[in-house]
Amino acid sequence: MMSDEILIDVRGLQKHFPIRGGLMGSTGTIKAVDGVNIYIRKGETLGLVGESGCGKTTTGRCILHLTKPTGGNIYWKMPADIRSKLIELEAELAKLPEGNGRRKSPEQKRIEGEIDEIRKRYSLEKQPSESLRMMRKNMQIVFQDPYSSLSPRMLIKDIVSEPLLIHGIMKGEELKEYVRSLIETVGLNPEHLYRYPHEFSGGQRQRIGVARALALNPELVVLDEPTSALDVSVQAQILNMLNDLQSRFGLTYLFISHDLSSVRYMCDRVAVMYLGKIVELAPKTELFERPLHPYTEALLSVIPIPDPKAQKNKLTLSGEIPSPANPPSGCRFHTRCKYREERCEREEPPLMDIGGEHLVACHRASAK
């Protein structure tokens, strides 16, 4: 059951990849993730959607520190009062005039010192490696491809028990019994433990991946397109299983997908990502019934309708997706937007709260 407690709070997340080559070595930067702000409540499923290459998977990997972020902070289990204080301090700091060179005013030093103290306690970026290693037990991932995410040389019992052995949590008969119960929890049989991954179907392999993710009893699970490589009938089975596991173990999900039908079934809130930035974030029902960003409208317009006689107006986006190495100035979507205005080319719209947890980054939508 979803609570009001925020489990993880991502603020200003960035991940830039250098483009290497030529005589000068580095020739540019790919801004895969460029200032993402999202939070996930305990017990909630937050959907992250967008076209391929928009930065969804990179965002998920950065949150888990499988990929080291370039900038920003990821706060883990920060109390509500501390979070409110941090937001106030950051707002105060932004209002202060810029210092002269490297000299900072006493007020600026005070605010920065208080922000640093909060980050040392709750930001994953500020944790020593051993503390981060212990915290990562609470954050696991289910990968997109069930064929490449399991070692072909290991028995299933070894794949599922490996996280427990690495962290020194269990061993011996206790470990064997626990792994057996995990396999049964995801709908497989105990005899499957003594087989290799190539002996299973795609859906069964994904169940094994889920069992491995659950082994350490995590609180947050990143589901990186967990059904995109599976048949439609198997997709439904996996999604139902994930819902059941969430109810049973109180899990929190970041559900990354390009399948909006699955997102509508699974998620409580949905964040829409375009070219490294969040362009709209809203409760599921409101986003699907009243999308405000033109990009969201286009994504929703192509959802298949299970009725061959039904008519639907599909919004075709003009132009190509810009390169993340050289994103457009102003609004990044303006090169493909039919509503673009002159200011869209020079002013980047902020992600504004227009009420009811509905955030949108669009000059036209925020003016309504």
Side-chain angles (χ1 to χ4, degrees), residues 269-293:
R269 290 184 301 133
V270 183
V272 181
M273 197 167 184
Y274 181 78
L275 213 62
K277 287 184 175 290
I278 302 297
V279 297
E280 187 165 6
L281 194 157
K284 172 185 65 178
T285 302
E286 187 167 349
L287 185 105
F288 277 86
E289 293 182 357
R290 194 172 70 98
L292 295 181
H293 198 281

Side-chain angles (χ1 to χ4, degrees), residues 70-328:
T70 303
N73 288 275
I74 301 164
Y75 298 101
W76 178 256
K77 286 188 172 181
M78 184 166 57
D81 58 334
I82 302 295
R83 182 173 184 267
S84 298
K85 182 180 179 181
L86 176 63
I87 293 173
E88 291 176 3
L89 289 170
E90 290 176 339
E92 287 180 33
L93 186 62
K95 292 178 182 177
L96 292 178
E98 295 184 6
N100 183 15
R102 295 185 179 180
R103 298 180 62 181
K104 299 179 180 179
S105 67
E107 182 68 5
Q108 187 176 4
K109 290 180 180 179
R110 178 191 68 80
I111 295 175
E112 289 181 348
E114 292 187 41
I115 291 175
D116 285 340
E117 285 300 315
I118 293 174
R119 288 176 177 170
K120 285 178 184 178
R121 294 179 61 187
Y122 300 106
S123 176
L124 298 184
E125 281 65 43
K126 299 295 184 180
Q127 303 304 312
S129 56
E130 184 59 29
S131 297
L132 182 60
R133 178 176 176 270
M134 297 302 295
M135 292 174 70
R136 286 181 62 183
K137 292 190 297 184
N138 293 317
M139 301 175 282
Q140 296 296 311
I141 186 170
V142 176
F143 294 98
Q144 175 179 357
D145 187 0
Y147 293 92
S148 62
S149 60
L150 303 177
S151 173
R153 300 180 181 180
M154 298 175 67
L155 292 171
I156 302 308
K157 70 177 184 67
D158 298 321
I159 290 173
V160 178
S161 62
E162 186 177 30
L164 296 157
L165 292 172
I166 288 175
H167 287 277
I169 296 175
M170 292 182 190
K171 60 182 179 179
E173 288 300 319
E174 182 185 12
L175 175 62
K176 291 180 181 179
E177 184 58 35
Y178 182 67
V179 170
R180 187 180 299 113
S181 68
L182 273 176
I183 283 295
E184 292 177 342
T185 297
V186 298
L188 297 177
N189 299 321
E191 58 265 25
H192 291 149
L193 291 169
Y194 297 92
R195 299 180 185 175
Y196 289 94
H198 73 269
E199 300 178 71
F200 295 90
S201 66
Q204 288 175 320
R205 291 191 196 194
Q206 200 61 293
R207 290 175 184 271
I208 295 166
V210 172
R212 178 178 58 186
L214 294 180
L216 294 172
N217 193 25
E219 294 181 71
L220 173 69
V221 180
V222 174
L223 303 169
D224 185 10
E225 304 205 33
T227 60
S228 63
L230 307 177
D231 294 336
V232 175
S233 60
V234 179
Q235 288 180 15
Q237 295 173 16
I238 297 297
L239 293 178
N240 287 332
M241 179 191 69
L242 291 171
N243 271 336
D244 291 341
L245 292 173
Q246 184 177 38
S247 299
R248 181 173 175 181
F249 298 108
L251 299 171
T252 302
Y253 290 151
L254 174 61
F255 187 77
I256 300 171
S257 181
H258 61 268
D259 182 356
L260 291 169
S261 298
S262 298
V263 168
R264 189 168 196 168
Y265 176 69
M266 288 287 295
C267 300
D268 300 297
R269 290 184 301 133
V270 183
V272 181
M273 197 167 184
Y274 181 78
L275 213 62
K277 287 184 175 290
I278 302 297
V279 297
E280 187 165 6
L281 194 157
K284 172 185 65 178
T285 302
E286 187 167 349
L287 185 105
F288 277 86
E289 293 182 357
R290 194 172 70 98
L292 295 181
H293 198 281
Y295 180 60
T296 309
E297 291 179 3
L299 289 180
L300 297 180
S301 73
V302 297
I303 298 176
I305 299 176
D307 183 357
K309 297 180 180 180
Q311 298 293 323
K312 189 170 185 179
N313 295 323
K314 294 184 178 181
L315 301 180
T316 303
L317 297 178
S318 61
E320 299 293 330
I321 302 176
S323 169
N326 186 27

Side-chain angles (χ1 to χ4, degrees), residues 3-7 40-43 77-78 219:
S3 71
D4 292 331
E5 177 187 351
I6 293 177
L7 185 67
I40 312 176
R41 297 186 182 93
K42 189 172 183 179
K77 286 188 172 181
M78 184 166 57
E219 294 181 71

